[in-house]
Amino acid sequence: MLTGSLVALITPMHTNGEVDYASLKRLVEFHIEQGTDGIVAVGTTGESATLPAKEHIEVVSKIVEYANGRIKVIGGNGANSTLEAIELTKGCEKAGVDAMLGVTPYYNKPSEAGLIAHYKAVAAATHIPQILYNVPGRTALDMKPQTIAKLCDVANIIGVKEASGDVARVAELRQLCGEDFLLFSGDDATAKEFMLAGGNGVISVVNNVVPKLFKRMCDAALAGDRELATELDQPMRQLHDVLFIEANPIPVKWAVLQMGLIDNGHIRLPLTELNSDFHGQVKQAMKMAGVEA
């Protein structure tokens, strides 16, 4: 079962822009060693928007290969074109992922009917479990709980990553979709409260930097231990903010570079590397969370 602390993994790159597979393999090993419950491959944090479909699928395939069954792998299969989403879906299925994460079609602003038809078409293209992904801050589209309720009866749509930051949606989604429908937070700042309210886990950016601590916080929150979860979350509060001081994944990629986990912090245009004005703030937040940079 996909629950707990899942990392929205960065995609390391060489200075020429090509994917750095040696560093990628180290990242997979790092998260296995640290106890992370699952890896999301080539989601927003993995720069899915700038990886063409063939390369996107290759990166997902490599992560599955490196994981070798030791950790769950969720492949990103979202696109603003349904045909492209289906292409990514078939590629992720061939790669051997455990599930897929599909963001709402961005920029297009489809109607509710179009959104439902999109997800049903993607789900029909595979037998692999699908997780919906609502992140209105990036897509200009908010998939409401009532819309999700019209999709949760599709056999292989098993859950949603809810990144609106609205913790109240947990109770609403539980009522509409039932206890078996998986609810993942996609907002690190409110993830603790999301899980304490009945969510099943979090797909996290901060988890790239402090996976062991983040895993402990998730375990405590899922066990209903508010006091311990709050105590463990407190050192990460600054990270929850500064890792979004510029567009994700700019700050987190720089932070992981400072940790020596990747060889280069290159990021593909139109994003650029972290402005030096913010280096001190990110380092301070990392120190507060017990990470030396």
Side-chain angles (χ1 to χ4, degrees), residues 37-175:
D37 292 309
I39 292 172
V40 172
V42 198
T44 304
T45 310
E47 297 180 61
S48 58
T50 54
L51 269 67
K54 182 179 179 181
E55 187 179 33
H56 181 127
I57 293 165
E58 182 179 359
V59 174
V60 172
S61 298
K62 285 293 186 182
I63 291 174
V64 172
E65 176 188 326
Y66 300 151
N68 194 26
R70 295 173 295 163
I71 188 172
K72 299 291 186 183
V73 178
I74 301 170
N77 68 332
N80 65 338
S81 159
T82 304
L83 289 176
E84 183 180 354
I86 289 172
E87 178 185 1
L88 294 173
T89 297
K90 291 180 177 177
C92 286
E93 178 176 12
K94 186 176 181 180
V97 299
D98 297 288
M100 301 180 207
L101 178 69
V103 70
T104 54
Y106 42 89
Y107 187 78
N108 299 351
K109 292 189 175 181
S111 65
E112 183 187 52
L115 193 58
I116 290 170
H118 168 83
Y119 277 117
K120 284 186 174 180
V122 172
T126 182
H127 70 281
I128 303 295
Q130 302 292 300
I131 300 169
L132 312 175
Y133 179 16
N134 183 44
V135 56
R138 294 195 75 123
T139 64
L141 174 68
D142 187 5
M143 183 164 52
K144 302 292 187 181
Q146 293 77 12
T147 303
I148 295 169
K150 295 176 183 179
L151 288 163
C152 65
D153 287 335
V154 176
N156 60 334
I157 294 180
I158 64 166
V160 62
K161 176 184 177 183
E162 175 54 65
S164 67
D166 183 0
V167 175
R169 290 193 178 187
V170 176
E172 190 173 2
L173 285 164
R174 272 282 168 259
Q175 183 179 14

Side-chain angles (χ1 to χ4, degrees), residues 13-281:
M13 296 172 183
H14 296 292
T15 53
N16 63 3
E18 294 181 0
V19 175
D20 178 357
Y21 287 106
S23 291
L24 184 64
K25 186 174 184 178
R26 287 202 302 273
L27 288 177
V28 173
E29 292 297 330
F30 173 69
H31 281 284
I32 292 171
E33 292 166 4
Q34 295 289 304
T36 300
D37 292 309
I39 292 172
V40 172
V42 198
T44 304
T45 310
E47 297 180 61
S48 58
T50 54
L51 269 67
K54 182 179 179 181
E55 187 179 33
H56 181 127
I57 293 165
E58 182 179 359
V59 174
V60 172
S61 298
K62 285 293 186 182
I63 291 174
V64 172
E65 176 188 326
Y66 300 151
N68 194 26
R70 295 173 295 163
I71 188 172
K72 299 291 186 183
V73 178
I74 301 170
N77 68 332
N80 65 338
S81 159
T82 304
L83 289 176
E84 183 180 354
I86 289 172
E87 178 185 1
L88 294 173
T89 297
K90 291 180 177 177
C92 286
E93 178 176 12
K94 186 176 181 180
V97 299
D98 297 288
M100 301 180 207
L101 178 69
V103 70
T104 54
Y106 42 89
Y107 187 78
N108 299 351
K109 292 189 175 181
S111 65
E112 183 187 52
L115 193 58
I116 290 170
H118 168 83
Y119 277 117
K120 284 186 174 180
V122 172
T126 182
H127 70 281
I128 303 295
Q130 302 292 300
I131 300 169
L132 312 175
Y133 179 16
N134 183 44
V135 56
R138 294 195 75 123
T139 64
L141 174 68
D142 187 5
M143 183 164 52
K144 302 292 187 181
Q146 293 77 12
T147 303
I148 295 169
K150 295 176 183 179
L151 288 163
C152 65
D153 287 335
V154 176
N156 60 334
I157 294 180
I158 64 166
V160 62
K161 176 184 177 183
E162 175 54 65
S164 67
D166 183 0
V167 175
R169 290 193 178 187
V170 176
E172 190 173 2
L173 285 164
R174 272 282 168 259
Q175 183 179 14
L176 291 168
C177 298
E179 292 299 319
D180 293 334
F181 195 70
L182 298 176
L183 304 180
F184 298 100
S185 170
D187 179 63
D188 284 325
T190 57
K192 172 185 63 111
E193 293 300 326
F194 188 98
M195 289 180 283
L196 286 167
N200 299 103
V202 54
I203 297 173
S204 166
V205 176
V206 170
N207 201 0
N208 281 279
V209 180
V210 282
K212 185 174 288 186
L213 177 60
F214 201 86
K215 161 71 172 171
R216 290 179 62 205
M217 185 277 289
C218 288
D219 287 349
L222 290 172
D225 190 336
R226 173 176 290 277
E227 184 177 354
L228 180 57
T230 301
E231 177 186 330
L232 294 168
D233 188 56
Q234 189 58 40
M236 298 185 283
R237 298 310 301 175
Q238 283 191 28
L239 274 180
H240 295 334
D241 292 331
V242 302
L243 290 189
F244 297 91
I245 202 165
E246 289 193 316
N248 179 43
I250 292 173
V252 70
K253 204 166 197 181
W254 186 84
V256 173
L257 175 65
Q258 305 315 300
M259 295 167 67
L261 293 171
I262 58 177
D263 295 330
N264 190 276
H266 181 81
I267 193 164
R268 286 188 182 172
L269 291 170
L271 299 184
T272 55
E273 293 182 31
L274 184 67
N275 189 310
S276 59
D277 291 346
F278 302 129
H279 288 186
Q281 292 179 60

